[in-house]
Amino acid sequence: MALIVQKYGGTSMGSIDRIKNVAKRVKRWHDNGHQVVVVVSAMSGETNRLIDLARQISNHPDPREYDQMVSTGEQVSISLLAMAIKELGVGARRQVAIKTDGAHNKARIESIDDKNIREQLDAGNVVIVAGFQGIDEYGNATTLGRGGSDTTGVAIAAALGADECQIYTDVDGVYTTDPRVTSKAKKLEKITFEEMLEMASLGSKILQIRSVEFAGKYGVPLRVLSSFDENNDGSFDQDFQDNVGTLITIDEGDNMEQAIISGIAFNRDEAKIVVRGVPDHPGIASAILSPIGRANIEIDMIVQNLSDQGTTDFTFTVNRADLDKTMKVLNDEVKDEIGAKEILGNSEVVKVSLVGVGMRSHAGVASLMFQTLAENNINIQMISTSEIKVSVLIQDQHLEKAVKSLHTAFGLDREDGESKIAGL
Ligand code: ASP
Ligand code: MG
């Protein structure tokens, strides 16, 4: 018998038929002798609809009222699911379990009432918890930020010491890259938390980043799997654990057999800015970046060129949505101040990244990456690296070619995960 937390997203809860299907799956797990806690999102589109209503009244709706209102999406889905599970003859209890701080719209979880949940589970009931929300010390509704139901699921799994937190969604797992870009993308059986964080922050939108951090911190085994897979019969056996969805784990596995690269992520939301002809002396980087920081704009990659006759170019990337705002800050507050020659903005760029813990123990990943891009005539505009990641900024029109060729070069197309270069 296992204790399983299952989280169902908006698509999985998107219609009455789908909610009935969720109830059936929960029953299968329950009938197999497992204790099940279910965390649900609002029906798909509902949270957006509610937020839109608030926005029609105010651009800055009162945070306390906003939370009270947007949290109702999940209130509807937990009750519908409780009804559906009871219709199948299984006991189901809704439970308010999450206490948060009072930071409306981005509340932090403070404690979880695991005692009541355990009592209900021991009494043979399925426990249902509303995702995305909690209550503060005064009983006000709070919300955890968009996508927050993932975090609710992980937090409850951590508090209960669950055997697994299963995130049911509309894809059947985490892929080596976006299957819409290459049909050769393969579902991963396992990925580490660290890799998943890189994949998530680089643009794979499967899980809320915070939930992955949380799961990593508390060592909660996290599985992403499809809510449309009817074969999932509720047996938590070896076959299930090896094959279904993608398990996100602390375990780095056996490096000898593991592919060096786990996945290729990309981010289309970047824009590049070049500040040209700036004097090369102390304080320039700070003079350029401080006003941008004050305007609350986040900077991603940064490169400063070698100086040529006392001047240099300073290049960095921001979120594409912030490009105009950044250009304005630079033109208004920085350009004349530091005597820059010109400021250029370019939104036709994309960041492509190789991610893999295997990089730690294998040299040559970056060079194979650059060689592959060169063979495909793709110019690299910027490079950045971390211990388990190499990112390049390239022109956006080359995205597909870059991802496909790297996917092949790093052996991700094939079952054996063998790399093109022997010994790498
Ligand atoms: N319903 C909330 C949202 O759409 C929370 C969630 O689905 O995770 O952001
Ligand atoms: Mg989500």
Side-chain angles (χ1 to χ4, degrees), residues 285-359:
S286 152
I288 295 173
L289 298 183
S290 301
I292 294 172
R294 279 199 297 276
N296 258 322
I297 297 166
E298 255 181 73
I299 290 160
D300 184 19
M301 304 167 102
I302 304 178
V303 169
Q304 187 183 330
N305 292 353
L306 269 183
S307 63
D308 180 22
Q309 289 165 357
T311 65
T312 181
D313 296 342
F314 192 92
T315 311
F316 60 95
T317 63
V318 294
N319 194 298
R320 203 173 282 184
D322 288 331
L323 176 61
D324 292 346
K325 194 169 149 197
T326 312
M327 293 294 284
K328 188 168 164 20
V329 170
L330 290 173
N331 281 312
D332 292 355
E333 298 177 40
V334 177
K335 188 165 180 252
D336 295 340
E337 194 74 17
I338 63 170
K341 220 176 280 158
E342 62 179 334
I343 293 166
L344 305 169
N346 178 359
S347 57
E348 286 161 14
V349 291
V350 50
K351 183 167 81 170
V352 177
S353 307
L354 301 183
V355 175
V357 290
M359 269 184 220

Side-chain angles (χ1 to χ4, degrees), residues 79-97:
S79 289
L80 289 174
L81 182 61
M83 293 173 202
I85 292 176
K86 285 181 187 170
E87 278 297 304
L88 299 177
V90 175
R93 269 305 273 227
R94 265 185 302 112
Q95 196 80 51
V96 179

Side-chain angles (χ1 to χ4, degrees), residues 128-181:
I128 303 173
V129 178
F132 173 57
Q133 58 198 273
I135 49 171
D136 71 8
E137 60 173 318
Y138 306 108
N140 294 309
T142 55
T143 62
L144 308 176
R146 295 308 306 268
S149 297
D150 294 340
T151 300
T152 309
V154 170
I156 287 185
L160 294 171
D163 293 283
E164 198 168 282
C165 178
Q166 302 177 343
I167 307 278
Y168 286 89
T169 179
D170 49 359
V171 293
D172 63 350
V174 180
Y175 277 69
T176 49
T177 194
D178 188 336
R180 285 168 299 193
V181 173

Side-chain angles (χ1 to χ4, degrees), residues 361-388:
S361 44
H362 294 269
V365 170
S367 62
L368 176 56
M369 180 185 203
F370 303 157
Q371 181 193 328
T372 306
L373 294 172
E375 281 165 9
N376 284 278
N377 253 320
I378 299 170
N379 189 38
I380 300 170
Q381 304 182 13
M382 293 174 88
I383 299 168
S384 75
T385 62
S386 77
E387 212 192 351
I388 64 160

